[in-house]
Amino acid sequence: MISFEQIEFWNWWVIAVFLIGIEIFAPGAVFLWMGLAAGVVGFVLLAFPETTWQIQLLIFAVLSVVSIYVWRYVLRDRFPAKVPGRILNRRGASYVGRIFTLKEPIVDGNGLLHVDDSRWKVEGEDMPAGTKVKVTAIDGTVLKVERA
């Protein structure tokens, strides 16, 4: 059985890989930061091999808590994740503000717009094919467009 006095730098790196591997199965990015903290402790032990196991555990605990705190309360607010839930099941809403090129003309205020692999009904002023249009709104399944 291994005692705490026999812990070497590479043991911390194995723990780091294990914790980061757990992150694949557990959401929330907690184990990622704990894994990075374990990796840092491995580097500290490599640089200072006389570090006691109590100090190693203290460094690991402090780095884990600080890194999780920094992620949760500082970085998350600065770099918010885009939430696609607002337009879930409303694919047309994701096109609002985008610019497309008409492949078919808009005649009498109605036409068709080719977007990726689908065709959308559009409403707007009459325009010839090849005109760049900007989607300004969506009404059911009809995209409202204006000249870009």
Side-chain angles (χ1 to χ4, degrees):
M1 182 170 163
I2 191 167
S3 68
F4 283 119
E5 287 82 20
Q6 297 173 325
I7 293 178
E8 295 185 31
F9 67 91
W10 63 267
N11 295 112
W12 282 106
W13 292 346
V14 169
I15 292 169
V17 169
F18 177 73
L19 288 170
I20 292 171
I22 289 176
E23 186 62 38
I24 295 170
F25 303 107
V30 173
F31 291 104
L32 170 70
W33 300 110
M34 292 172 63
L36 290 174
V40 169
V41 173
F43 281 111
V44 167
L45 191 55
L46 181 63
F48 305 103
E50 68 281 352
T51 307
T52 64
W53 67 269
Q54 294 95 339
I55 298 297
Q56 294 173 42
L57 287 178
L58 180 66
I59 293 170
F60 172 71
V62 169
L63 285 177
S64 293
V65 170
V66 168
S67 62
I68 292 170
Y69 173 79
V70 167
W71 169 249
R72 292 267 187 216
Y73 298 103
V74 177
L75 295 178
R76 182 186 282 178
D77 294 337
R78 192 169 290 174
F79 302 106
K82 293 184 179 181
V83 180
R86 292 188 199 131
I87 57 173
L88 184 63
N89 295 329
R90 293 183 22 201
R91 191 172 79 184
S94 67
Y95 299 140
V96 174
R98 292 183 53 191
I99 297 175
F100 300 99
T101 303
L102 290 175
K103 295 211 186 315
E104 299 178 24
I106 297 178
V107 180
D108 295 327
N110 294 305
L112 292 173
L113 178 66
H114 295 264
V115 179
D116 300 327
D117 61 345
S118 59
R119 293 168 33 147
W120 289 81
K121 290 176 80 174
V122 294
E123 290 181 356
E125 65 181 79
D126 290 356
M127 292 179 255
T131 305
K132 293 205 178 285
V133 294
K134 180 177 182 180
V135 178
T136 58
I138 183 168
D139 182 20
T141 60
V142 178
L143 299 176
K144 307 286 185 172
V145 297
E146 64 182 24
R147 194 177 303 267

